[in-house]
Amino acid sequence: MTTKLWQWGVLIAGLTVACMVLSIAPAHAHKVIVFAWVEGDTIHTESKFSAGKLVQDGKIAVFDPQGNKLLEGVTDDRGRFSFPIPQKSDLKIELQAGMGHGNQWLVRAQEIDDGADSRAPTPKQTPSEAGHTGAAPARPTEASATADCLDAQTVRQIVTLALEKKLAPIEARLVEQRWRFQDIIGGIGYIVGIFGVVAYMKSRK
Amino acid sequence: MHISEGYLSGPVLLSGAALTAIGTAVGLKRLDYDQIAQGGILASAFFVASLVHVPIGPSNAHLIMNGIIGLLLGWAAFPVILVALLLQAVFFQFGGITTLGVNGLIMAGPAVIVAYVFGPWIGRSGWVGTAAAFASGAGAIALAAIVMAASLFFTDEKFMAVAGTAIVVHLPIMGIEGVITAFCVGFLKKVKPEMLSG
């Protein structure tokens, strides 16, 4: 009996170690992520499985806050799908990657607003007019900028565009949340606890 | 094999949840006191196995281990797999809370079927027992692919196409799990044969 128990223990230990080693090396499985960012007047989306594999021919649909479908498309072989901004509001981007894999991403209205303002400034917002109407301008920096060469609006536009380009990959990386070793151990801990409770309940009968 | 949130329609989610609830009730009733520790170990194995990603072929698939769980636990596979699925949804965002029922059915249903179909043959010595064990491991996954395709059928996808793709994508996994199951059964037969009667 003792040898049997001993062998049984070795099996469990071996399986556990094997699972851990295997799970740390690739440390991912299949959850699908869709990520979108605004660049100028376009919204780019990138879809991938959490294994890092890109989603090809995934269906992308864009919805307004009321749930009306605005447009749809298919991801290319780099997992990307880009479309012009359909309207200034929160946009829900939904990915269906086939076989039950799906996820969504929300582009907030203010993300779009930043880009849209710099692209098509309404007359009221131009700094030159602000300078004319206000005798003592509330924002002196903008007024002085207009006086010289580049108006503040153009500068802001250039900076926004450059920032959007630079930040896109960083934001994309933030989305790729990998679970950590603690999650695995934590989950196993929960299982031990749950089955402990079950054993306790059954033992009282 | 985990179906994500927001993919399925209400009726499919509800019927999946109902069937899984029945399976879980039956499973809990049949769960012996002695099987609880074993169930916990298998739930942990199932929970972690989903992280073992097999990078063979065009697939994006991972180990499932529902065949061996079915062979060892029978109907108790339902509660065991359900617990592991819940934790996978919470910790890894595999599947989801609303799809727990459907996903439970996809993975635990085949486990029970395999236990009934191949269970009686497992005890045989020689190659018959080994072949039955392999068939349980591989068959449980093929059946899971079919159940998954059936639950997606009511959404928008074509049953045959999805079932076909899912089985092809999981072919390497079926092979690996068949071998794992055969080894486990072979080992248990030598060391603790009473476990296989369940």
Side-chain angles (χ1 to χ4, degrees):
Chain A
M1 188 60 201
T2 39
T3 42
K4 278 181 183 175
L5 265 179
W6 172 78
Q7 282 173 306
W8 187 221
V10 168
L11 170 73
I12 294 166
L15 277 177
T16 316
V17 169
C19 284
M20 282 177 179
V21 169
L22 281 167
S23 65
I24 295 162
H28 37 233
H30 68 191
K31 173 195 162 190
V32 76
I33 296 167
V34 57
F35 164 68
W37 70 98
V38 182
E39 199 180 294
D41 54 358
T42 314
I43 294 178
H44 299 279
T45 69
E46 191 175 278
S47 311
K48 51 178 145 183
F49 293 101
S50 49
K53 206 164 202 171
L54 298 164
V55 178
Q56 300 169 352
D57 296 322
K59 278 186 244 160
I60 299 266
V62 182
F63 297 91
D64 68 7
Q66 285 77 44
N68 304 313
K69 194 187 268 183
L70 298 174
L71 58 99
E72 57 186 345
V74 173
T75 58
D76 62 13
D77 45 345
R78 287 164 64 220
R80 300 242 174 141
F81 171 66
S82 306
F83 54 93
I85 295 171
Q87 64 181 52
K88 268 206 244 172
S89 67
D90 287 359
L91 295 173
K92 195 177 87 179
I93 294 168
E94 204 175 274
L95 167 71
Q96 295 207 338
M99 292 211 287
H101 298 130
N103 209 335
Q104 50 195 33
W105 178 268
L106 190 71
V107 176
R108 301 212 169 273
Q110 60 262 41
E111 288 175 56
I112 300 174
D113 273 335
D114 289 349
D117 281 348
S118 54
R119 233 174 17 260
T122 51
K124 271 182 194 166
Q125 285 173 322
T126 54
S128 54
E129 193 152 319
H132 283 302
T133 47
R139 288 169 289 177
T141 44
E142 285 192 8
S144 59
T146 18
D148 280 294
C149 40
L150 282 170
D151 65 76
Q153 199 68 47
T154 322
V155 173
R156 193 187 299 155
Q157 190 177 338
I158 294 167
V159 170
T160 312
L161 265 180
L163 272 179
E164 280 169 353
K165 271 215 176 104
K166 290 277 178 198
L167 284 178
I170 295 172
E171 287 186 42
R173 195 161 300 165
L174 283 180
V175 176
E176 282 178 36
Q177 336 144 309
R178 293 269 161 90
W179 45 89
R180 297 153 305 164
F181 195 61
Q182 289 95 304
D183 291 343
I184 301 171
I185 299 298
I188 293 174
Y190 269 102
I191 290 172
V192 171
I194 290 166
F195 281 85
V197 169
V198 173
Y200 176 68
M201 305 282 265
K202 288 242 174 188
S203 75
R204 297 210 306 174
K205 276 178 192 169
Chain B
M1 288 289 188
H2 299 64
I3 296 182
S4 310
E5 305 262 15
Y7 221 96
L8 299 174
S9 54
V12 177
L13 289 175
L14 281 179
S15 39
L19 288 171
T20 302
I22 294 169
T24 308
V26 176
L28 281 177
K29 200 142 214 179
R30 297 205 181 182
L31 187 69
D32 291 337
Y33 184 74
D34 304 336
Q35 277 186 317
I36 292 172
Q38 191 185 329
I41 291 164
L42 287 170
S44 307
F46 182 91
F47 173 74
V48 178
S50 69
L51 295 180
V52 182
H53 179 83
V54 178
I56 302 175
S59 66
N60 189 60
H62 57 73
L63 295 184
I64 297 174
M65 309 286 277
N66 54 347
I68 184 81
I69 293 179
L71 282 184
L72 294 181
L73 295 179
W75 280 93
F78 264 101
V80 161
I81 286 179
L82 200 63
V83 166
L85 278 177
L86 172 69
L87 291 166
Q88 284 174 348
V90 173
F91 280 97
F92 307 143
Q93 287 88 48
F94 289 178
I97 303 295
T98 56
T99 52
L100 263 185
V102 174
N103 285 335
L105 186 65
I106 289 174
M107 284 171 249
V112 174
I113 295 173
V114 155
Y116 274 102
V117 175
F118 297 109
W121 300 87
I122 291 295
R124 301 266 187 116
S125 56
W127 67 271
V128 179
T130 311
F134 182 90
S136 320
I141 291 177
L143 286 170
I146 291 168
V147 178
M148 181 188 72
S151 46
L152 286 172
F153 171 69
F154 295 100
T155 314
D156 60 348
E157 306 200 44
K158 294 187 182 67
F159 173 75
M160 287 313 284
V162 175
T165 326
I167 289 178
V168 169
V169 157
H170 283 91
L171 273 179
I173 303 282
M174 285 165 64
I176 292 169
E177 293 219 4
V179 172
I180 291 177
T181 310
F183 268 106
C184 283
V185 168
F187 181 83
L188 289 174
K189 235 188 250 176
K190 280 191 211 132
V191 175
K192 219 167 163 37
E194 65 271 23
M195 266 182 79
L196 290 170
S197 55

